[in-house]
Amino acid sequence: MTSKIKNLYYRLTPTPSSTTLPTAGFSKAPTAPALFPKTDPASDGDECVHDCSSCTIKYPSKFAIDEDEELYGHVKGWSTHLIVATGKSDWVRDVADEKGSIMEAVDKGTVKPSNGKLMLSASNIPLPEHDTESTRVLLLPAFTFIDNVTPSNVPDLITSHINKGPVNTSPLGQLPETASSPASPPEPEEKTSLQPALVTVPTLKSHPCPHQYLILLCSQKTRDARCGQSAPLLRREFERHLRPMGLYRDLHDERPGGVGIYFISHVGGHKFSANVMIYRKETPSQPSDATMTAAESSGSGQAAQCIWLARVRPEDCENIVRYTVLQGKLVKPERQLRGGFDRCKQLVSW
């Protein structure tokens, strides 16, 4: 298999001293229910064993996937996830081949992450409205937006933000050095002689992502038509269930709390479409309804969990919102869980 058809996070190799993921006491959960609890009708109600009865959205009749292969524990571990705003929902087959892009600069540059494997995704997060030269990225598990990113300052992005931020296997409460916006460089001394014009590199600026939860949907139809078909349908169905709860956030909605839904590029395993990655912030308590805790309303916090599902269909969305997004529970672990991590339990699937 050539590198061009591999997921980018398999290819992006950190420096030799950091090729092994830092475990810091983390261990592999032997089964899906050991990583995330399975719903129980006795405590969660009979709804957890029934698909949505009001769902009218259907996949195309020829939407066929692999229903037999075992899913759990077969994704390779990753340390951080960088999601690049492109304003698009489909991309060239290998997003790192997009000339002049942040994806190209990250994947093919000489400066690599020193804290483990980086998963790199293009996304439909909108481009800045008043800046045609730069874009923004979302760094996970830090749940941090970083603005003013250009190909020329990607090395600074890696060394000042990615390398200094938390990773999926750093325990909550034991935080590494916080990545903050670097101070503005000092003004150069005035020169009496004429100096050649210097290219100004924008200063990176970071701020917390306001959302409490993220739902990431693979939408890249240039890799697999099923991803391009499933993502818009699932987004509509997730939105239908989130709106009455006051939790839906569209691409331009930065109110604190709620659920952001983004399309991302290929994450591997398209034969198990649809792939859905759910990142959940740390909260003092896990709410079962739309009532936000203090941490939610402030928009602060890091990702405590990532739950990576596959074989997701529109009729699954109601219970995924009700139990998985809001409570961190699995409805169909044997059929749908590919992997993930829980930084509170210090467990991973790899």
Side-chain angles (χ1 to χ4, degrees), residues 124-126 211 213-217 231 234-240 242 247-251 258-264 276-277 321:
N124 69 333
I125 295 174
H211 305 313
Y213 313 99
L214 294 177
I215 298 176
L216 307 179
L217 308 173
L234 291 179
R235 181 176 62 180
R236 284 170 51 192
E237 191 62 12
F238 279 125
E239 179 182 350
R240 185 172 77 91
L242 290 168
L247 293 176
Y248 177 71
R249 302 290 187 267
D250 65 26
L251 293 174
V259 183
I261 303 177
Y262 300 134
F263 291 165
I264 61 170
V276 177
M277 299 182 75
V321 167

Side-chain angles (χ1 to χ4, degrees), residues 210-226:
H211 305 313
Q212 187 67 21
Y213 313 99
L214 294 177
I215 298 176
L216 307 179
L217 308 173
C218 179
S219 66
Q220 191 172 358
K221 64 182 178 181
T222 56
R223 298 300 296 260
D224 194 283
R226 291 167 294 191

Side-chain angles (χ1 to χ4, degrees), residues 312-324:
V312 175
R313 303 184 66 85
E315 57 267 29
D316 296 319
C317 292
E318 181 179 39
N319 278 347
I320 288 177
V321 167
R322 179 185 291 153
Y323 299 109
T324 308

Side-chain angles (χ1 to χ4, degrees), residues 49-295:
V49 296
H50 300 292
D51 291 337
C52 178
S53 60
S54 62
C55 180
T56 59
I57 294 177
K58 304 294 182 185
Y59 283 159
S61 58
K62 295 184 179 180
F63 193 95
I65 62 170
D66 185 319
E67 294 281 3
D68 301 318
E69 188 173 329
E70 181 182 358
L71 283 182
Y72 179 72
H74 294 287
V75 295
K76 293 184 179 180
W78 73 103
S79 291
T80 53
H81 192 172
L82 190 70
I83 301 171
V84 182
T86 71
K88 301 186 294 184
S89 60
D90 197 22
W91 305 269
V92 297
R93 181 173 176 82
D94 187 330
V95 295
D97 287 340
E98 186 171 321
K99 299 299 182 184
S101 69
I102 302 301
M103 294 81 73
E104 179 187 49
V106 171
D107 184 63
K108 299 179 180 179
T110 57
V111 177
K112 302 295 184 183
S114 62
N115 55 355
K117 291 182 181 295
L118 171 72
M119 183 185 293
L120 176 63
S121 298
S123 79
N124 69 333
I125 295 174
L127 294 167
E129 294 182 2
H130 305 295
D131 187 348
T132 58
E133 301 299 326
S134 68
T135 187
R136 67 192 321 205
V137 298
L138 174 58
L139 179 61
L140 297 165
F143 255 91
T144 298
F145 274 118
I146 303 162
D147 298 324
N148 301 332
V149 181
T150 65
S152 62
N153 63 23
V154 159
D156 187 27
L157 170 70
I158 294 174
T159 58
S160 298
H161 293 269
I162 296 174
N163 289 349
K164 294 182 179 180
V167 297
N168 298 341
T169 51
S170 58
L172 287 167
Q174 299 180 19
L175 304 181
E177 180 181 349
T178 302
S180 58
S181 299
S184 300
E187 294 291 331
E189 296 181 6
E190 292 186 5
K191 301 288 184 179
T192 55
S193 59
L194 293 178
Q195 299 292 322
L198 299 177
V199 177
T200 302
V201 178
T203 300
L204 298 172
K205 296 181 179 180
S206 63
H207 58 93
C209 172
H211 305 313
Q212 187 67 21
Y213 313 99
L214 294 177
I215 298 176
L216 307 179
L217 308 173
C218 179
S219 66
Q220 191 172 358
K221 64 182 178 181
T222 56
R223 298 300 296 260
D224 194 283
R226 291 167 294 191
C227 298
Q229 293 167 340
S230 62
L233 298 177
L234 291 179
R235 181 176 62 180
R236 284 170 51 192
E237 191 62 12
F238 279 125
E239 179 182 350
R240 185 172 77 91
H241 294 290
L242 290 168
R243 277 195 181 279
M245 307 172 76
L247 293 176
Y248 177 71
R249 302 290 187 267
D250 65 26
L251 293 174
H252 299 279
D253 190 342
E254 296 195 355
R255 288 176 295 160
V259 183
I261 303 177
Y262 300 134
F263 291 165
I264 61 170
S265 54
H266 181 63
V267 294
H270 45 246
K271 66 179 179 179
F272 306 122
S273 294
N275 278 273
V276 177
M277 299 182 75
I278 299 167
Y279 281 92
R280 309 179 69 250
K281 274 185 181 178
E282 175 193 16
T283 55
S285 60
Q286 301 299 345
S288 58
D289 54 30
T291 303
M292 292 193 298
T293 65

Side-chain angles (χ1 to χ4, degrees), residues 38-53:
K38 183 178 180 178
T39 53
D40 182 356
S43 56
D44 297 306
D46 291 337
E47 295 88 351
C48 71
V49 296
H50 300 292
D51 291 337
C52 178
S53 60

